[in-house]
């Protein structure tokens, strides 16, 4: 590990500072070379003459971060403190968000995955620190969660920014729709920049309808509601009777929200993250 950069780490609802720990993120490489996580292979077929037909490139591995933790007062860890750290990092096995902040607690990036190795560093048979490896499910990080929540009456156009570093990759948001004063016969959400349209019929006053575009799930807080053919739309300019999952293209996305009535008051929630690459330095 040639270079080490200090960060504040949040994981499993705790910061390293909650335990009076100093943290650092290490990246492999020499002083003039730092791993950015950009490990790519060409996708190609070979011609008989040895040249290639290149179709593009793909990541050949996911991203790993190595986190070093020591006590702020540089003292040894007690048995109870060792248990606390291992419980914090290793007590949860399902994938979770690891969040990195600078020393002023401004969030830099988030990574989704699990800790796959936690090692104790010792001196004189006593623990002086930990070196933990976090393995992401992705070859890159993500932006801090973008959370847009507004109440509008009638038709409205809003702008959602997608400033991702994967310029060919679209982002699928998490959407919550709640009519507050009247039923909706048909709700449409149109991305005016991609021309894709979500259409949802028969949303009742007070119903909370959730559209998870990333995981392609739509559900209601009404346990007896069967959505089925009430969810459809337009994709690539073609009408379809099947579900359409909203996508945010790189750049600004103008969304036209139309509840079908000038008097209908609706609460909208949009949540999303976009791919973010901070490399080995920040």
């Amino acid at each position: 590990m040639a270079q080490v950069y200090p960060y504040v780490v949040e994981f499993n609802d705790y910061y390293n500072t909650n335990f009076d720990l100093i943290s650092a993120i290490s990246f492999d490489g020499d002083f003039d070379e730092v791993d950015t996580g950009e490990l790519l292979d060409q996708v190609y077929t070979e011609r008989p003459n040895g040249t290639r037909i290149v179709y593009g490139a793909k990541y050949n591995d996911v991203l790993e971060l190595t986190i070093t933790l020591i006590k702020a007062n540089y003292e040894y860890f007690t048995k109870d403190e060792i248990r606390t750290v291992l419980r914090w990092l290793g007590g949860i096995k399902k994938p979770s968000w690891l969040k990195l902040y600078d020393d002023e607690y401004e969030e830099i990036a988030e990574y989704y995955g699990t800790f796959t190795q936690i090692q104790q560093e010792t001196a004189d048979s006593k623990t002086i620190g930990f070196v933990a490896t976090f393995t992401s499910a992705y070859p890159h990080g993500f932006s801090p969660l973008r959370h847009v929540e507004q109440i509008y009456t009638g038709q409205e156009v809003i702008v959602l920014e997608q400033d991702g570093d994967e310029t060919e990759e679209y982002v699928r948001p998490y959407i919550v729709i709640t009519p507050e004063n009247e039923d909706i016969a048909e709700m449409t959400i149109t991305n005016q920049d991609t021309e894709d349209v979500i259409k949802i019929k028969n949303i009742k006053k007070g119903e909370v309808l959730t559209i998870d575009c990333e995981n392609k799930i739509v559900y209601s807080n009404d346990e007896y509601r069967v959505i089925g053919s009430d969810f459809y739309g337009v994709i690539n300019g073609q009408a379809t009777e099947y579900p359409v999952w909203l996508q945010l293209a790189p750049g600004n996305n103008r969304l036209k929200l139309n509840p079908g009535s000038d008097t209908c008051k609706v609460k909208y929630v949009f949540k999303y993250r976009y791919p973010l690459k901070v490399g080995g330095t920040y």
Side-chain angles (χ1 to χ4, degrees):
M1 300 296 175
Q3 301 186 14
V4 178
Y5 306 93
Y7 291 93
V8 175
V9 176
E10 180 187 0
F11 182 73
N12 196 15
D13 297 326
Y14 289 96
Y15 298 90
N16 58 286
T17 51
N18 292 137
F19 310 113
D20 293 323
L21 299 176
I22 298 173
S23 67
I25 310 299
S26 303
F27 296 84
D28 290 325
D30 300 326
F31 284 103
D32 296 322
E33 254 179 30
V34 179
D35 183 12
T36 66
E38 294 291 288
L39 303 174
L40 299 158
D41 288 332
Q42 278 190 344
V43 179
Y44 65 93
T45 56
E46 283 197 5
R47 295 188 178 97
N49 63 1
T51 61
R52 296 177 176 180
I53 301 173
V54 179
Y55 303 104
K58 65 176 182 178
Y59 290 102
N60 65 17
D61 206 351
V62 295
L63 190 65
E64 286 190 347
L65 304 176
T66 302
I67 301 174
T68 302
L69 297 166
I70 61 174
K71 293 179 69 172
N73 58 11
Y74 303 105
E75 293 183 353
Y76 296 118
F77 285 78
T78 66
K79 289 183 179 179
D80 285 343
E81 289 169 336
I82 292 171
R83 289 187 61 199
T84 296
V85 173
L86 294 177
R87 186 185 304 118
W88 173 42
L89 301 181
I92 183 170
K93 305 300 187 296
K94 64 180 181 181
S96 302
W97 289 100
L98 173 74
K99 302 178 182 180
L100 303 186
Y101 301 79
D102 63 20
D103 55 6
E104 296 182 354
Y105 282 83
E106 180 178 347
E107 190 172 349
I108 297 170
E110 301 184 1
Y111 299 87
Y112 187 71
T114 60
F115 278 95
T116 51
Q117 187 176 41
I118 305 171
Q119 295 179 308
Q120 292 175 233
E121 297 294 312
T122 61
D124 299 325
S125 299
K126 297 180 180 180
T127 299
I128 59 172
F130 294 85
V131 177
T133 300
F134 184 88
T135 302
S136 171
Y138 299 88
H140 52 69
F142 289 88
S143 69
L145 180 66
R146 298 300 190 249
H147 185 137
V148 178
E149 185 172 327
Q150 293 289 343
I151 297 175
Y152 296 112
T153 300
Q155 184 174 287
E156 189 66 46
V157 176
I158 65 172
V159 177
L160 298 184
E161 180 190 24
Q162 201 270 78
D163 191 27
D165 293 331
E166 289 287 345
T167 56
E168 296 178 333
E169 186 172 318
Y170 285 23
V171 170
R172 296 184 176 93
Y174 180 94
I175 306 168
V176 182
I177 301 168
T178 308
E180 296 199 339
N181 64 338
E182 59 186 75
D183 295 347
I184 296 177
E186 182 178 80
M187 174 84 202
T188 63
I189 301 177
T190 304
N191 188 331
Q192 295 180 325
D193 294 281
T194 66
E195 299 184 350
D196 290 347
V197 184
I198 283 180
K199 296 185 179 184
I200 314 104
K201 288 183 176 179
N202 305 318
I203 310 175
K204 296 178 182 178
K205 173 186 172 182
E207 181 179 358
V208 180
L209 187 75
T210 301
I211 306 170
D212 184 346
C213 297
E214 177 65 28
N215 294 303
K216 298 184 177 181
I217 301 171
V218 58
Y219 56 92
S220 169
N221 66 333
D222 180 355
E223 61 180 320
Y224 300 106
R225 172 75 190 270
V226 178
I227 297 170
S229 60
D230 285 349
F231 181 44
Y232 59 107
V234 177
I235 186 167
N236 298 325
Q238 300 294 319
T240 175
E241 61 184 8
Y242 300 106
V244 172
W245 309 101
L246 189 71
Q247 299 185 111
L248 303 179
N252 290 330
N253 291 256
R254 296 166 297 161
L255 303 187
K256 183 179 180 180
L257 313 174
N258 187 357
S261 166
D262 292 338
T263 59
C264 186
K265 185 178 181 181
V266 184
K267 179 180 178 181
Y268 301 92
V269 177
F270 293 88
K271 298 179 183 179
Y272 63 99
R273 295 175 173 89
Y274 48 75
L276 196 64
K277 304 175 184 181
V278 299
T281 60
Y282 196 86

